[in-house]
Amino acid sequence: MAKTRFWSGFHWPSLFLMLGLCTAGILIIYSATHGSEMADLKNASIQQAAWVGLGLACFFVLAFSDYHRWVAQGWFWFGGGIFLLLVVLVFGREVNGAKSWLRFGPVGFQPAEVMKLAFLVGSTALLVALRERIEKFRTVLALVGLALIPVLLILKQPDLGSAAVFLPMCFGLLFAGGTRLRFLLIPVGLGLAAFLAIYLWVGQFGKELPFLKTYQNNRIRTFFDPNLDPLGAGWTIRQSIIAIGSGGFTGKGFLRGDQNLYGFLPKNIAYNDFIFSVLGEEWGFVGGALLILGQAALLICIAWIGLRAPDFEGRLLAGGVLGMLFTHFFINVGMTIKVVPITGIPLPFVSYGGTFLAVCMAAMGLMQSIWRQRRLG
């Protein structure tokens, strides 16, 4: 009876959706890398399966723990995340133009990804302390100010994609906390103002943003006009659109994507940032729609867990996780179809990469903890 009670507290739909997306990710990664002559790429799907195992360990640790303890230690984890961001600026390893990796022997990870989870519990601790003033404008400013600390450090790497996640997380946290609607427009307004400023500065005036590298500025320019450099900075987005468009309604079939197979879609990004392009070519509209529906269903599950959370802390955590995962999902899919600029941001549970996958699965463990606290009392 005790064993049955132990397992009965799980929110099974979100667990199965998470595992389904992880499985789909391993299959698509295999398809994107199986034809490569590089050993690292050939073994990418096996490595991803191992990281799913690591992610599940993180998931169950948090699922069977009390989420209140993580919030109580929120400032400790936030401080630890900031420390790692400072360390990576000094001792970090540069990959794809960004100094964003820390490596200890064979083990490497990205502090910016870990910071998302640290910011989640740290900002929840802040809002719990300010609960009586959650509707005040200065509370919004306090949270946005807290977010700007990791944002500025991540932009120094530079990693525009990871930095872009924190303001939407603020929106989710404030919305879940019950902040007045007009104050919620502040993170939205800051995001729109930043986009407009970038558009005018880079897209219209042809200037470079000083905190980004040349190739990142070129990505922004070619978003507004891919024909500026069709064989250079505009190549990837053009090939992505061709790949997705050529998939048609049902796709070309598993392992039969020409754009990916022959390297028109660069192999070093096809299995992570542009994994949706591989899916679109091989599985067409049907496959793309199913993946989008799976991601949307998982987001709905998180929102439902937040609505049914037993207390204020649980609602805040769900709001922050929802903001984080939705932003990743929207930007990743959007950049493959030229809705947003290319920023190098992974698709939750699907793209290749161990640190972000473990963070996502740990976040879902927190959601299970919230649901189990409600069900098990």
Side-chain angles (χ1 to χ4, degrees):
M1 179 68 87
K3 185 176 180 179
T4 302
R5 180 177 173 80
F6 181 78
W7 286 101
S8 65
F10 267 78
H11 188 269
W12 294 105
S14 63
L15 176 59
F16 287 133
L17 284 166
M18 180 186 74
L19 293 177
L21 290 170
C22 289
T23 302
I26 293 171
L27 291 174
I28 304 169
I29 289 168
Y30 175 77
S31 180
T33 59
H34 78 282
S36 175
E37 297 179 356
M38 297 176 60
D40 290 345
L41 291 183
K42 278 187 175 181
N43 297 326
S45 59
I46 298 174
Q47 184 68 62
Q48 185 76 357
W51 282 331
V52 169
L54 173 63
L56 281 173
C58 296
F59 170 84
F60 283 114
V61 166
L62 272 73
F64 291 128
S65 65
D66 186 347
Y67 63 91
H68 297 96
R69 294 180 181 177
W70 297 98
V71 175
Q73 299 169 0
W75 288 113
F76 170 79
W77 297 114
F78 181 84
I82 295 298
F83 174 74
L84 289 175
L85 290 179
L86 291 170
V87 170
V88 78
L89 290 177
V90 180
F91 302 105
R93 176 185 175 190
E94 186 169 317
V95 177
N96 294 328
K99 200 173 185 180
S100 57
W101 283 82
L102 282 178
R103 184 165 292 279
F104 301 95
V107 179
F109 68 98
Q110 292 175 279
E113 302 295 354
V114 176
M115 187 66 228
K116 294 168 187 175
L117 200 58
F119 175 73
L120 173 68
V121 293
S123 57
T124 298
L126 173 66
L127 292 181
V128 168
L130 299 176
R131 181 173 184 176
E132 300 302 321
R133 292 171 281 176
I134 191 68
E135 295 186 358
K136 301 294 185 181
F137 178 69
R138 58 186 176 213
T139 300
V140 178
L141 292 179
L143 183 61
V144 172
L146 188 71
L148 288 178
I149 300 173
V151 165
L152 293 174
L153 290 174
I154 292 170
L155 285 176
K156 288 284 291 182
Q157 296 179 6
D159 184 354
L160 182 60
S162 292
V165 176
F166 289 88
L167 284 179
M169 287 182 70
C170 289
F171 182 92
L173 285 156
L174 291 168
F175 182 83
T179 301
R180 293 178 183 177
L181 185 59
R182 65 177 181 270
F183 293 156
L184 288 175
L185 297 178
I186 293 174
V188 176
L190 287 173
L192 291 176
F195 182 84
L196 180 60
I198 290 171
Y199 171 73
L200 292 174
W201 187 255
V202 180
Q204 293 296 311
F205 301 145
K207 306 291 185 179
E208 290 198 357
L209 293 172
F211 53 83
L212 297 181
K213 295 194 174 182
T214 299
Y215 79 93
Q216 292 173 313
N217 282 283
N218 289 337
R219 282 179 176 180
I220 297 172
R221 290 192 186 99
T222 53
F223 167 73
F224 297 111
D225 185 4
N227 294 317
L228 284 175
D229 189 9
L231 299 179
W235 174 266
T236 302
I237 185 58
R238 289 167 63 89
Q239 298 306 314
S240 174
I241 293 172
I242 291 171
I244 294 172
S246 65
F249 188 71
T250 58
K252 298 175 181 177
F254 186 54
L255 306 180
R256 296 182 179 178
D258 296 334
Q259 295 297 117
N260 169 60
L261 184 63
Y262 297 115
F264 293 103
L265 191 65
K267 288 194 175 290
N268 65 322
I269 58 173
Y271 68 140
N272 44 47
D273 296 343
F274 280 82
I275 198 165
F276 188 78
S277 306
V278 178
L279 172 70
E281 183 178 18
E282 296 191 354
W283 298 101
F285 173 81
V286 174
L290 286 174
L291 186 138
I292 289 173
L293 286 173
Q295 294 275 357
L298 186 60
L299 293 174
I300 291 171
C301 287
I302 295 170
W304 178 250
I305 291 171
L307 287 171
R308 305 289 289 174
D311 53 30
F312 186 63
E313 290 96 324
R315 291 197 301 274
L316 290 174
L317 289 172
V321 171
L322 189 63
M324 178 182 75
L325 295 183
F326 173 78
T327 304
H328 272 269
F329 163 59
F330 177 79
I331 293 179
N332 179 274
V333 174
M335 71 183 185
T336 65
I337 56 177
K338 200 176 172 294
V339 172
V340 296
I342 297 174
T343 55
I345 194 169
L347 185 61
F349 309 104
V350 180
S351 290
Y352 175 84
T355 312
F356 181 62
L357 178 63
V359 166
C360 287
M361 296 181 81
M364 291 307 302
L366 283 175
M367 297 302 97
Q368 291 290 349
S369 176
I370 294 167
W371 189 256
R372 293 181 74 251
Q373 290 284 326
R374 172 186 169 273
R375 293 292 303 274
L376 302 179

